[in-house]
Amino acid sequence: MKRSQFFICILLGLFVMWWFFKRNGHSGDSTAEKTPTDTSSKETVVRTQNPSKLRNATQEKSKQEIQLAAIFAEASDPSFAKYRYEQMQIDPNFDWRQPINFWGKVVDENEQPVTGASIHFTWNDTSERGTSNADTKSDGNGFFSLKDRRGKRLYVDVEKEGYYGSREARNSTFEYADPFEGRFTPDANKPVVFHLGKKAGGEPLICGEKLFGFKADGTQYYLDLIAGKKYTNTPPLEWDVAVRFRRSEGKIFDWSVVLEGNDGGLIETDDEFKFLAPESGYERIEIEKSKDDPKWKTDWGYRFYVKSRGGKNFGRIEAEIIPKYSQNAAISMKYCLNPSGSRNLEYDESVQPKPKVFE
């Protein structure tokens, strides 16, 4: 074989070897393959070698991020929710170590400051018992505070001798850690207001509680609250509230009710301290609800002042309207009437019997 032919054969063999390695994904530089010089090179190698594995991993990561984003979006404070999630991976007791500061104010039914009200605080924390306590008094302007404590949830009770406690004054709750429960943000310039109602002295009231059932066809009913009785069509000589309930045929979620007083009427109120009935303004009350109401419920709570029996009786009623009760409807009533003609509706156990609970 001539020398020129020999060199040609060698070159042809080298070409074949180069082509073989290139086709099988080798560059000829094994060091560069095993240790890429930068991140993009490494990702290119992985993607070339196993594209489905990388795609699945990326999709799984995206799914987790979407789920976490959805969870954080539901929180009252999304930025804190994300921070809280990260911190709880480090410290499982993170929730119980949150700074607790609180500013409040106590006022009466006329929005006037209440001095010397007793304030009792309880909060969940990392102490041995799991809770800690503190007490204070409201100052001359009704203000009080709790500062520099640590915990998760704070409970506040407000009371004073000679006063009635409102709903918010009885064991109000404030969450400092969990944004999904509505994380409370304290503000010294916007104290939380607690109402107390001053006791003026009760009178002998007639109080009772009863569940009254009604046909939902527009039948007129007359209620004698003092006796706890119900009449239809023909009213007795003395009655307090007339009720006419109607529900659309086949539409249990569409209903209406009309409430009237005996030579008087009713006044709807949000006043929790219903101790002095208004002198005037009483009227016929009509309530109508539809299934299209976004706040539709199975029962509806209302509070009323009532004037009845020829204007001789003033009273207060808490009515829970139940539009679907068995095949009919019902109203559960808690009430107090003053038969003396006085507008004073303050209950005093020392001067009157216990409320009647009618079957």
Side-chain angles (χ1 to χ4, degrees), residues 38-307:
D38 56 49
T39 306
S40 61
S41 174
K42 182 177 181 180
E43 290 179 349
T44 301
V45 172
V46 173
R47 189 176 295 113
T48 301
Q49 292 177 344
N50 197 341
S52 62
K53 183 177 181 181
L54 179 63
R55 183 168 58 252
N56 292 338
T58 303
Q59 290 175 346
E60 186 63 29
K61 182 179 180 182
S62 298
K63 186 187 296 184
Q64 292 175 354
E65 290 176 346
I66 291 173
Q67 290 174 341
L68 284 175
I71 291 173
F72 294 148
E74 293 177 359
S76 60
D77 186 351
S79 60
F80 182 82
K82 184 176 181 180
Y83 170 73
R84 171 177 175 258
Y85 173 79
E86 295 168 347
Q87 292 302 309
M88 289 183 71
Q89 311 307 306
I90 303 170
D91 179 10
N93 290 323
F94 174 79
D95 275 7
W96 282 265
R97 303 185 196 278
Q98 296 309 296
I100 288 182
N101 293 289
F102 187 87
W103 290 271
K105 183 179 182 179
V106 188
V107 298
D108 63 16
E109 68 277 11
N110 298 313
E111 304 298 324
Q112 296 303 304
V114 176
T115 302
S118 299
I119 321 297
H120 180 68
F121 299 103
T122 303
W123 62 94
N124 306 122
D125 56 17
T126 57
S127 63
E128 184 176 351
R129 293 180 57 190
T131 59
S132 296
N133 302 277
D135 295 278
T136 189
K137 297 277 188 179
S138 58
D139 65 16
N141 295 312
F143 292 109
F144 65 92
S145 63
L146 178 73
K147 301 177 184 178
D148 302 325
R149 307 303 170 102
R150 294 268 175 180
K152 180 183 188 298
R153 185 173 297 163
L154 177 68
Y155 303 88
V156 183
D157 282 292
V158 180
E159 62 180 4
K160 184 177 181 179
E161 185 72 25
Y163 287 80
Y164 295 98
S166 63
R167 290 183 301 277
E168 79 270 7
R170 298 189 293 270
N171 205 30
S172 286
T173 305
F174 302 89
E175 174 64 39
Y176 282 77
D178 192 343
F180 301 99
E181 295 186 17
R183 182 169 168 263
F184 172 71
T185 303
D187 187 341
N189 297 315
K190 296 180 180 179
V192 178
V193 178
F194 297 84
H195 287 85
L196 297 178
K198 187 172 180 59
K199 296 180 180 179
E203 294 188 16
L205 305 181
I206 298 175
C207 299
E209 179 178 348
K210 183 167 183 177
L211 177 68
F212 293 97
F214 309 97
K215 290 183 179 179
D217 58 2
T219 299
Q220 181 91 328
Y221 294 86
Y222 301 90
L223 306 183
D224 178 348
L225 298 181
I226 292 178
K229 293 183 178 181
K230 174 183 66 179
Y231 301 86
T232 58
N233 299 321
T234 304
L237 293 177
E238 298 286 355
W239 56 276
D240 299 288
V241 180
V243 178
R244 188 167 68 253
F245 211 108
R246 189 179 296 278
R247 190 171 59 236
S248 300
E249 186 175 353
K251 298 180 180 180
I252 63 173
F253 301 116
D254 295 348
W255 59 271
S256 65
V257 64
V258 176
L259 304 171
E260 299 179 81
N262 181 358
D263 196 16
L266 298 93
I267 298 176
E268 186 176 354
T269 177
D270 289 328
D271 184 9
E272 186 172 4
F273 305 113
K274 301 181 292 297
F275 301 143
L276 184 64
E279 189 170 2
S280 59
Y282 295 87
E283 60 185 0
R284 173 178 179 268
I285 297 287
E286 183 171 359
I287 301 169
E288 186 173 355
K289 296 297 178 181
S290 168
K291 66 176 181 180
D292 297 324
D293 190 325
K295 297 182 179 180
W296 204 97
K297 303 179 293 185
T298 55
D299 54 73
W300 301 79
Y302 295 89
R303 291 189 176 119
F304 303 103
Y305 291 109
V306 61
K307 183 180 180 181

Side-chain angles (χ1 to χ4, degrees), residues 330-349:
I331 301 179
S332 177
M333 288 189 177
K334 294 181 180 180
Y335 50 88
C336 284
L337 304 174
N338 192 332
S340 70
S342 168
R343 293 187 292 119
N344 184 355
L345 303 177
E346 185 174 338
Y347 182 90
D348 188 343
E349 292 182 352

